[in-house]
Amino acid sequence: MLYQYYEFQRSFFYPVSVMAKLSAELFTDSRHSLSHLPWANRLAANYELIYRLGKEYEKPEFDIRTIEKGGSIVPIVEEIVEDRPFCRLIRFKRYADNAELAQTFTDEPKILLCAPLSGHHSTLLRDTVRQFLHDAKVYITDWKDARTVPNDEGPFHLDDYVEYIQSFIRTIGADNLHVISVCQPTVPVLAALSLMAARNEVLPNTITMMGGPIDARKSPTEVNSLANNKSLQWFEDNVIHRVPGGYPGAGRKVYPGFLQHAGFVAMNPDLHLKSHWEFYEHLLSGDEEDAESHRRFYDEYNAVLDMPAEYYLDTIRVVFQEYALAKGTWTIRGEPVDPSCIQETALMTVEGERDDISGHGQTASAHDLCTGIEDKRRFHITLEGAGHYGIFSGRRFRTKLYPQLLQFIRDHAS
């Protein structure tokens, strides 16, 4: 019933949100007489704040149309390479009229960015994609909102996630492929490669794991504590709901995006309250640059998706309660997950010094498991001053981490 109540509340507030948006525009449009009233600016700020607090946030676009490379403007086109019920594999195809520039594209490495299926859309990695497009062919896992997946497609488990990653690697081709997993997918990606190695399949040249819970026992965060303090049955009884009518996935059991968003905000409520107050002040002072920066951030942050219930509960159990990967007890469809089988793939782990989601040492634990990889082919970076999001986007990522990551990839290119 909670999902239905949320939908009712959203529908009820929709007209208010629309009116607030229209009112904000009226009081800021210089062509309208209302904008010239002495208190117009304050009213406009009030209305826009109401609008942004109450609006529905749709999945953002990647909106990467061009990049500059070699002194040329290079068009970018999104291409769906593989379309599966719960995820699309997208390639950001680059085009060049210059034959010499086009040849550099051919010789560059392939990057598979494994985006998290943990609430936000894959567009959260927009900056990561844009940065790599200057130096590589870029693919990304674009996970679908579970409420849009028809019920007759069946359930989606953590084991299915692992199989999806393997399928995407085979589709792209492992030759000169470099897999980068951000946060949650570090666990299923390591499992995927471990199983492929055990079957003697060709593996990617490198794997980079960034801010993920390989061993969630180390430096537990608030996220880890919640998963440990509640039983699996508690999660199933309290956070799993059925998608209401009106959606393609009506009837599917999910962990709703609106509950996830509430959890995100609850982790740092004072920070978000301060951010919205500062946004209001920027509107009053006419600081449009900072106000627009706030809009861009929350357009992304507030856009969330529903996760399949089976996958969510599997992740709670396997990753945060049983620590099955770290303990070596994880089996997938009868096959043991043994990271020591990986030998030829170079490994890099990345952690943020101030990461409050994946604690210190959780990602670096991959080195303890991947004993088949020579020491000279294993590397670790702790990005100073970076929080969770700072390891894959923003200034620190671009100026401090990316050059090291790119060099690691080039050193192990084929």
Side-chain angles (χ1 to χ4, degrees):
M1 288 298 295
L2 182 62
Y3 208 139
Q4 286 81 356
Y5 174 73
Y6 168 77
E7 287 293 299
F8 171 77
Q9 184 185 51
R10 185 177 64 83
S11 299
F12 180 80
F13 197 77
Y14 176 75
V16 178
S17 178
V18 171
M19 288 301 299
K21 181 177 185 293
L22 292 174
S23 298
E25 291 172 351
L26 281 176
F27 282 106
T28 54
D29 187 349
S30 59
R31 295 169 300 178
H32 200 283
S33 59
L34 290 176
S35 67
H36 301 291
L37 295 173
W39 30 263
N41 197 32
R42 184 171 296 275
L43 279 176
N46 288 331
Y47 280 125
E48 181 165 356
L49 189 59
I50 292 171
Y51 162 66
R52 294 198 63 81
L53 289 174
K55 66 170 287 195
E56 182 176 3
Y57 289 84
E58 302 289 345
K59 178 186 176 182
E61 299 291 332
F62 280 101
D63 199 31
I64 304 175
R65 310 299 182 190
T66 62
I67 60 166
E68 184 177 350
K69 183 176 175 68
S72 300
I73 300 299
V74 177
I76 307 295
V77 176
E78 292 179 29
E79 176 184 283
I80 300 175
V81 179
E82 186 173 345
D83 194 353
R84 306 197 62 170
F86 290 88
C87 187
R88 301 183 308 169
L89 176 64
I90 294 178
R91 179 182 179 182
F92 296 86
K93 181 75 174 177
R94 301 170 297 176
Y95 289 89
D97 293 330
N98 183 301
E100 185 177 344
L101 182 58
Q103 184 58 45
T104 66
F105 295 163
T106 302
D107 298 335
E108 287 176 346
K110 297 174 291 187
I111 303 293
L112 171 58
L113 275 173
C114 296
L117 176 53
S118 55
H120 287 109
H121 294 278
S122 59
T123 50
L124 197 66
L125 300 186
R126 183 185 297 102
D127 285 353
T128 324
V129 171
R130 184 183 288 111
Q131 192 66 40
F132 270 109
L133 279 171
H134 292 88
D135 303 290
K137 308 165 191 173
V138 181
Y139 300 76
I140 195 168
T141 57
D142 185 36
W143 298 100
K144 298 179 183 179
D145 190 334
R147 68 181 178 178
T148 69
V149 182
N151 229 341
D152 58 11
E153 292 290 354
F156 182 78
H157 289 270
L158 182 58
D159 292 0
D160 297 309
Y161 190 122
V162 173
E163 191 275 325
Y164 270 40
I165 297 298
Q166 293 172 334
S167 176
F168 293 155
I169 290 173
R170 296 181 191 119
T171 296
I172 299 170
D175 180 53
N176 205 11
L177 175 63
H178 306 263
V179 178
I180 299 174
S181 54
V182 180
C183 189
Q184 165 272 322
T186 55
V187 172
V189 166
L190 185 54
L193 294 187
S194 299
L195 294 175
M196 293 176 74
R199 301 171 193 150
N200 294 315
E201 293 190 52
V202 179
L203 297 186
N205 293 47
T206 71
I207 177 172
T208 300
M209 300 188 167
M210 307 173 71
I214 299 296
D215 188 348
R217 295 172 297 181
K218 297 190 175 181
S219 306
T221 64
E222 187 175 335
V223 174
N224 308 140
S225 298
L226 175 63
N228 272 306
N229 293 336
K230 306 291 185 181
S231 69
L232 196 64
Q233 189 63 50
W234 182 92
F235 285 100
E236 187 164 6
D237 292 341
N238 289 275
V239 303
I240 301 302
H241 299 274
R242 290 190 183 275
V243 177
Y247 293 101
R252 177 179 294 282
K253 285 187 174 183
V254 296
Y255 177 27
F258 67 87
L259 283 182
Q260 298 170 65
H261 182 262
F264 297 150
V265 174
M267 289 181 65
N268 294 289
D270 293 341
L271 180 64
H272 292 289
L273 183 61
K274 179 182 177 184
S275 179
H276 288 300
W277 177 252
E278 289 177 346
F279 172 63
Y280 179 73
E281 290 184 320
H282 293 323
L283 292 174
L284 289 180
S285 64
D287 187 348
E288 183 57 30
E289 184 176 348
D290 282 340
E292 184 58 29
S293 177
H294 174 97
R295 293 187 191 101
R296 286 196 303 269
F297 175 81
Y298 278 98
D299 280 350
E300 194 76 56
Y301 188 82
N302 291 340
V304 290
L305 51 74
D306 293 355
M307 287 192 283
E310 308 84 16
Y311 158 79
Y312 173 75
L313 294 172
D314 284 350
T315 301
I316 292 292
R317 176 179 57 82
V318 171
V319 179
F320 296 106
Q321 293 185 346
E322 296 178 355
Y323 314 107
L325 177 60
K327 289 183 175 180
T329 59
W330 193 9
T331 60
I332 295 179
R333 293 164 185 164
E335 295 182 84
V337 177
D338 183 3
S340 69
C341 294
I342 303 172
Q343 296 183 3
E344 301 303 321
T345 300
L347 169 67
M348 174 178 281
T349 55
V350 179
E351 295 181 346
E353 181 186 26
R354 298 180 179 177
D355 194 334
D356 60 353
I357 294 179
S358 293
H360 177 69
Q362 290 188 12
T363 314
S365 294
H367 294 281
D368 300 329
L369 304 177
C370 297
T371 55
I373 302 175
E374 296 178 288
D375 288 347
K376 66 180 181 180
R377 294 169 63 82
R378 292 195 276 123
F379 307 87
H380 177 75
I381 297 173
T382 297
L383 190 58
E384 294 183 2
H388 188 70
Y389 297 102
I391 59 176
F392 59 85
S393 65
R395 178 181 55 81
R396 285 190 180 88
F397 166 74
R398 292 191 299 270
T399 62
K400 295 184 180 298
L401 178 60
Y402 182 74
Q404 298 181 71
L405 184 53
L406 182 61
Q407 190 60 53
F408 167 70
I409 290 170
R410 285 175 172 171
D411 288 345
H412 297 90
S414 57

